Structure formats: C-alpha cells, structure tokens
Amino acid sequence: MGLKILITGGLGYIGAHVCAVLHQKGYRIVLMDNLSNSFLQMYHQLITLLGEQSLEFEKKDISRPDEVKELFRKHSDIKGVIHLAALKSVNQSIAQPLSYYHNNVGGLITLLSEVKSKNIPFLFSSSCTVYGQADQLPIKENTSLKPSFSPYGFTKQVGEQIIKDTAKANDSFKAMSLRYFNPIGAHPSSLIGEWPIGEPQNLVPYITQVGIGKRKELKIFGDTYDTTDGTCIRDYIHVMDLAEAHVLGLETLFSSNSNHYVYNVGLGKGVSVKEMVSRFEKVSERPIKYKISKARKGDVPIAYADASRIRHQLNWQPKYSINDALLSAWNWEKYLHSNNDHKE
Ligand code: NAD
Ligand code: UD1
C-alpha cells in the first residue's frame, strides 16, 4: 500500500488536481478542507474520478489546533503534507486583513506545530506574488522579493520565512516552497476543474464563463501597460503540470539530505491578457466579448518565470501547452454547464 499523504485545502482548485496525480502514483490520500472556498460536490467529483476507496475526507479547519491534533491522532500514519489551504483573494485580503493573517499565517503555524517534530516532509504553496514587479525577467528564485501590495501577498512571504526558519532550527524537518505562477486548465477527464464561488476573480474562469454565456463580457484590467499590446503579461501553466511538480517535490523530500528548497513553477512563457482571449477564441471557437476597464490595483505589468531550477533539479517536464490548458478549462466549463445540479 502507498504512503498516506495529507492535502490541506484538498477540495480547492489545485488540491483536487494534486489529489488526482498522487492517486495515479499510488499514494493514499487524506483531504482536509473547511469548505470555505469550495463545494462538497468536489469530493463527489473526485470519488467519481478516482474511486470510492481512493481518499478520505476530513472537514476540518487548519487554524483550529484541536481539529488539527484530532486529525493527526486519527491518521497517525500520515507520511507527508501538501499544504494548500489558504484564502487567496487579493482584494478580500485588503478588506479583511485579520482573517487572512489568522487563516494563512495562523493556520500554517498550527499545522507546523503538529508536523515539525514528526519527521514528515512538508510542501507549501507559495506564489509568484512574493516577487512583486521583479527587477529582473524572467524571474529566478534568487530575484529579490518586494514588499507585498496586499495582506495576501504578505501571508505567502511570511509563510515561506516561517518554513525556512523552522527548517533551519530542525534538521529532521524537510520542507519545500513552490512559487506558482498562473495555474489554469482542468483535468483531462473534465470531472474536476476550477470552480469559483460567485464571480471569478481570475482571468481564465472569467473568460470561460463569458464563453458559456454566464457572464456578459470580460473586463480587461488596463491596456496602457508598457507591454506589447498594453495588457499585462503572465506565465500561465497547466494545473496538471503544476500538480506533477508537487509529487516530484514530495519525492525529493523523501529521498534527499537537504531539508529546505524553493522552486518557481511556471512554463516560462509570458502571454498578454489580450493574447489569452484570442487563444481562447481559437480553441473554443467562441467569440469573447470584452471591454477595457481601469487597471486593477496591485497588478504587476509583467511576470514570468525562469523555471530552470525545478526542471534541472527535479527533472520536472511540463507536458501541456497554454492552448491545451485553455481547451481543458473550456471542456470543464461545458461540463459544469451541462450538469446544472453541480452549479453554485
Ligand atoms: P482554492 O481556494 O480553490 O483552494 C483552497 C482550499 O482551501 C479551499 O477549498 C478552501 O475551502 C480551503 N481552505 C481555506 N482555508 C482553510 C482552512 N482554514 N482550513 C481548511 N481548509 C481551508 O485555491 P487554489 O487556487 O486551489 O489555491 C491553493 C493554494 O495555492 C493557496 O494556498 C493559494 O494561495 C495558492 N496559490 C494559488 C494560485 C492560483 O492562481 N490559483 C497562485 C499562487 C498560489
Ligand atoms: C492573482 C493574484 C495573485 C494570486 C493569484 C491566485 C492579484 C493582483 N494577484 O494573480 O496574488 O496568487 O491570483 O489567486 O490579484 N484580468 C483581467 N480581467 C479579469 C481577471 C484578470 O483583465 O477579469 C487580468 C489581470 O489584470 C492580470 C491577468 O488577467 O493581468 C491575470 O489575472 P489573474 O488570473 O487574476 O492572476 P494574477 O493577477 O496574476
């Protein structure tokens, strides 16, 4: 039987895909989620995809020490933790900083207090937001970090620092922070994908909802940036390739002697918002109505990764193109649309 891995935030967008890849590689899985930003239906989707016996679900909150302790008592055979549970809205974090610090930083500390002495590898989902507008492009792991625009961004910077300090103080605690660029797309089965509650805040789910007719038009946040077409440039990466990086990361922590790592995870290709719209129109054969609206506060003009460290050290080889990812996001949106009972 495979090793048992805990995925916090496992019913969220990235967690569900990590779960699918871990299962495929033979791991046993415990998902922990408080459903603050996901649907219980995602659990049923995962069961449909992976089978009844594939995972155990615990509805628990990482910021509650009693619930975290209880989980580790019940699953004393957990051999690794992939920590994705966090609140992730930049705007909401500006309006409600305390709940972001409590959830994202407090939750991390609660979890680490339980994990650090157990000799269990720990993977943390960080973000390219830690770089702000980088001085150097493509962005390398040693590109200097900038003070964050938002409490959300600070929770990722502080989270990484807490993990680094904990690893420094405990040789047996092995940890890795993955700095995701922009994950998009869905599982090839179309049974799981990005499922925002309410109005999407990220680009691709907004585009797919316009494509399906759920939203009238996309608002492009600014077209006067100093970029090829005036719209922001990002590094979009298929969520399945990102999920693969987690498994490689975990396996590295199992076998390595070093105990702290940081990796960028991106394709390394910068694509503008307008280009994403036209790529989507091409793969979906649907026109996307958009209007230019004012720039969103805190958006950096350009961010794309130098991901050579993870490619070379972990032999991570992304398999999907941006168009593959857009098509899979579109297939997922169509699936959601045709299964009305699964909709919010
Ligand atoms: P998501 O919101 O879809 O998933 C997060 C999950 O965590 C949700 O299911 C939510 O219910 C759960 N959760 C939140 N607080 C919790 C708590 N206190 N206890 C238990 N469960 C809790 O987000 P996602 O896109 O899957 O992101 C996962 C992680 O990756 C987050 O840490 C996020 O900050 C990070 N990240 C995401 C992106 C992105 O573009 N999606 C980019 C960079 C980093
Ligand atoms: C955003 C967050 C980032 C977080 C990530 C995951 C901000 C400033 N950044 O990244 O910290 O880690 O999500 O949650 O919120 N766009 C539009 N119209 C839309 C939506 C987006 O034009 O309706 C544009 C944005 O201006 C941006 C690009 O599309 O240029 C990508 O946006 P998004 O998907 O929200 O990702 P990020 O802003 O890169």
Side-chain angles (χ1 to χ4, degrees):
M1 259 209 299
L3 299 177
K4 188 186 266 191
I5 308 298
L6 170 66
I7 311 181
T8 72
L11 293 183
Y13 171 42
I14 297 165
H17 292 84
V18 170
C19 179
V21 175
L22 274 179
H23 174 75
Q24 191 198 336
K25 309 247 169 181
Y27 290 95
R28 288 181 297 143
I29 297 158
V30 183
L31 293 187
M32 177 192 191
D33 205 299
N34 68 354
L35 294 168
S36 57
N37 197 37
S38 48
F39 298 100
L40 185 59
Q41 179 62 32
M42 187 56 96
Y43 168 69
H44 300 294
Q45 298 294 120
L46 280 167
I47 292 292
T48 307
L49 177 65
L50 307 176
E52 195 74 49
Q53 307 300 322
S54 58
L55 51 98
E56 295 169 90
F57 172 51
E58 301 286 351
K59 183 173 181 301
K60 294 198 189 313
D61 191 318
I62 48 148
S63 66
R64 303 245 349 218
D66 52 333
E67 296 191 1
V68 173
K69 268 195 192 326
E70 193 192 316
L71 181 126
F72 278 95
R73 249 197 314 271
K74 183 170 166 194
H75 300 278
S76 56
D77 52 345
I78 286 173
K79 296 291 186 230
V81 175
I82 299 183
H83 176 44
L84 299 129
L87 299 173
K88 67 165 181 176
S89 158
V90 168
N91 279 339
Q92 193 184 40
S93 80
I94 293 166
Q96 301 165 23
L98 287 183
S99 68
Y100 271 68
Y101 287 118
H102 174 74
N103 201 70
N104 295 8
V105 179
L108 173 66
I109 292 171
T110 304
L111 200 57
L112 285 179
S113 311
E114 204 52 44
V115 169
K116 76 171 195 323
S117 53
K118 290 189 164 50
N119 208 356
I120 299 175
F122 190 87
L123 232 90
F124 176 61
S125 55
S126 187
S127 165
C128 64
T129 194
V130 298
Y131 297 111
Q133 181 54 70
D135 300 325
Q136 175 196 12
L137 289 165
I139 300 169
K140 292 178 190 285
E141 288 82 354
N142 60 9
T143 299
S144 54
L145 309 187
K146 294 274 176 62
S148 275
F149 163 76
S150 71
Y152 167 75
F154 270 117
T155 68
K156 293 299 174 191
Q157 289 184 342
V158 172
E160 282 197 20
Q161 189 65 43
I162 290 171
I163 288 167
K164 190 172 164 190
D165 291 344
T166 308
K168 208 189 268 178
N170 302 271
D171 286 343
S172 63
F173 173 71
K174 293 183 175 178
M176 184 181 292
S177 291
L178 296 181
R179 294 176 179 159
Y180 312 161
F181 280 66
N182 287 63
I184 59 166
H187 191 271
S189 66
S190 303
L191 284 169
I192 56 172
E194 187 165 10
W195 199 348
I197 296 178
E199 189 174 7
Q201 307 211 3
N202 297 111
L203 179 66
V204 169
Y206 212 107
I207 293 178
T208 59
Q209 290 196 4
V210 173
I212 208 79
K214 190 172 171 185
R215 311 261 161 210
K216 204 170 104 246
E217 62 186 5
L218 172 73
K219 290 184 228 35
I220 293 185
F221 298 141
D223 70 346
T224 56
Y225 287 100
D226 187 13
T227 60
T228 39
D229 61 17
T231 65
C232 294
I233 289 178
R234 294 288 181 275
D235 184 345
Y236 297 92
I237 172 181
H238 199 302
V239 68
M240 292 300 291
D241 283 330
L242 176 63
E244 285 281 347
H246 288 76
V247 181
L248 289 173
L250 197 64
E251 288 174 349
T252 298
L253 291 176
F254 284 138
S255 60
S256 87
N257 294 323
S258 312
N259 76 335
H260 181 249
Y261 300 82
V262 176
Y263 291 109
N264 284 341
V265 196
L267 270 192
K269 194 173 161 44
V271 176
S272 77
V273 177
K274 278 190 176 165
E275 191 183 339
M276 287 299 277
V277 172
S278 46
R279 280 169 179 264
F280 179 81
E281 290 181 318
K282 198 166 147 210
V283 301
S284 68
E285 299 177 342
R286 292 273 171 117
I288 294 299
K289 202 171 159 205
Y290 68 80
K291 73 170 182 202
I292 306 296
S293 84
K294 67 176 190 324
R296 182 170 67 178
K297 260 196 176 160
D299 272 350
V300 299
I302 308 181
Y304 58 93
D306 176 335
S308 49
R309 186 188 279 183
I310 190 167
R311 283 178 186 260
H312 294 144
Q313 292 185 5
L314 268 57
N315 197 23
W316 176 69
Q317 292 166 343
K319 298 187 189 74
Y320 296 98
S321 68
I322 294 167
N323 285 16
D324 294 335
L326 285 169
L327 182 59
S328 68
W330 177 231
N331 288 336
W332 159 247
E333 188 65 60
K334 287 193 288 186
Y335 171 85
L336 271 182
H337 186 69
S338 58
N339 291 268
N340 268 316
D341 53 334
H342 297 156
K343 288 183 93 178
E344 83 214 53

